[in-house]
Amino acid sequence: MCRGMFAMTAFLLVSITLANLFIIHEKILGTHLNITSKIMNSEEAFYRARNFESSFIFAVVSGKTDVWYNYWKPTYGYFSLGECRQVNMSFSDFLGIVLHDRGNYITLDPYFGAQACVVKEINYKGFKTMGIIKSTLWIDKRSPLSSFYR
Amino acid sequence: MKGGVSFAGHILNGDTMRGFFAIEALFILFLTPYFFYLLEPQKILLPRETAEICNDIAQIYAYNLSIPKIPGYTFWIDDKQYYACAYEFRYCTRRFVGREVRICAAACSP
């Protein structure tokens, strides 16, 4: 064999070992960031669902439910067999039936005896949840964030 | 085997390891910066805290409340920046407040 073969072999082994350590280091760091990114995306889905519900309350109080509907495009109607059935009328007409002004409160009441619902499936980067508004919702006009279900 | 194996340097093969020290010295010379890199403490990036702060600010804005100044953070509401500073990582989210609003937050670089 030529001279220096041992030195060359030793050099290759050492450099490959060090390169391997570098790659392992990068993979561990990348895995950490990947998991963190997925957690943040899943939280975004939850925040979006909450934004669906809270923005509805503010829209009802301000009277801008059309703007709200045009953005979210939810399914609205009544619960039947665990599912929110879409009714065959405009959103304004539907709210005209289920919303009632009771002085300091606006209530979202049942739809002809069945539980009224306004739902939207929220899908954010593959993470899914549901935004759900249902009767009977008492919307406090003086403090919308204090609204409650009864 | 007398004389050792054929592919490795061995004194009985006539390989006196001349130049071996020089090669080793070159290894150390070129790999020293890499050893310093490996010894460096890992730069800790905390995007989760920035994301949580961003979502907190977004909730405050969505509820029509006044946004407080949080020391060490800068914010954007629809591309308008508040409490500007240099930053490395920015997190953005969206809320519907009558219209879709983009809210971002970033931790200021030290």
Side-chain angles (χ1 to χ4, degrees):
Chain A
M1 278 292 171
C2 60
R3 287 188 63 170
M5 184 59 75
F6 174 75
M8 283 187 268
T9 310
F11 170 75
L12 280 173
L13 285 173
V14 170
S15 61
I16 288 168
T17 305
L18 291 171
N20 197 29
L21 283 174
F22 178 75
I23 288 165
I24 292 169
H25 174 87
E26 282 291 310
K27 279 199 182 297
I28 291 170
L29 193 61
T31 305
H32 166 72
L33 288 173
N34 191 29
I35 292 171
T36 303
S37 174
K38 281 192 182 297
I39 291 171
M40 291 193 291
N41 289 339
S42 68
E43 288 176 354
E44 276 297 320
F46 159 75
Y47 280 113
R48 193 157 166 77
R50 191 159 77 173
N51 187 216
F52 170 81
E53 293 156 13
S54 60
S55 63
F56 173 76
I57 291 170
F58 282 111
V60 168
V61 170
S62 63
K64 294 177 182 172
T65 50
D66 288 342
V67 175
W68 182 89
Y69 176 78
N70 287 334
Y71 177 77
W72 290 104
K73 299 268 188 343
T75 299
Y76 54 91
Y78 58 95
F79 272 121
S80 174
L81 298 173
E83 203 180 311
C84 189
R85 308 271 176 185
Q86 174 72 49
V87 290
N88 189 17
M89 63 177 73
S90 69
F91 190 61
S92 304
D93 291 343
F94 173 73
L95 290 183
I97 294 171
V98 297
L99 285 180
H100 297 98
D101 195 328
R102 299 180 193 277
N104 287 328
Y105 291 90
I106 298 172
T107 56
L108 184 81
D109 291 322
Y111 178 80
F112 296 115
Q115 191 173 29
C117 55
V118 182
V119 303
K120 170 81 181 165
E121 189 194 73
I122 307 292
N123 186 342
Y124 186 81
K125 295 191 180 178
F127 291 98
K128 294 180 188 176
T129 185
M130 292 286 286
I132 303 174
I133 299 155
K134 54 189 180 184
S135 59
T136 305
L137 172 63
W138 288 71
I139 299 171
D140 190 338
K141 286 195 264 187
R142 298 158 298 181
S143 173
L145 295 174
S146 304
S147 303
F148 55 91
Y149 286 99
R150 183 175 284 171
Chain B
M1 261 184 285
K2 191 176 175 189
V5 295
S6 61
F7 56 82
H10 196 280
I11 192 112
L12 293 174
N13 284 342
D15 185 352
T16 56
M17 305 277 280
R18 288 186 68 178
F20 189 81
F21 173 77
I23 289 175
E24 288 290 328
L26 279 174
F27 289 171
I28 302 302
L29 189 68
F30 286 110
L31 291 174
T32 300
Y34 181 62
F35 291 136
F36 276 109
Y37 162 73
L38 287 177
L39 287 170
E40 258 178 25
Q42 183 183 356
K43 204 193 290 191
I44 298 173
L45 186 66
L46 288 174
R48 274 190 60 77
E49 188 173 14
T50 302
E52 285 169 14
I53 296 273
C54 179
N55 277 308
D56 290 344
I57 296 300
Q59 288 306 112
I60 290 170
Y61 182 80
Y63 295 156
N64 296 325
L65 301 170
S66 57
I67 298 173
K69 180 180 181 352
I70 300 180
Y73 283 87
T74 177
F75 311 107
W76 289 260
I77 308 278
D78 264 349
D79 297 330
K80 184 165 185 267
Q81 191 176 8
Y82 298 86
Y83 316 119
C85 65
Y87 63 94
E88 280 183 9
F89 172 77
R90 182 169 85 156
Y91 187 84
C92 294
T93 184
R94 291 177 188 272
R95 294 288 184 272
F96 178 76
V97 192
R99 59 183 177 84
E100 192 174 81
V101 178
R102 187 165 173 249
I103 299 137
C104 305
C108 295
S109 299

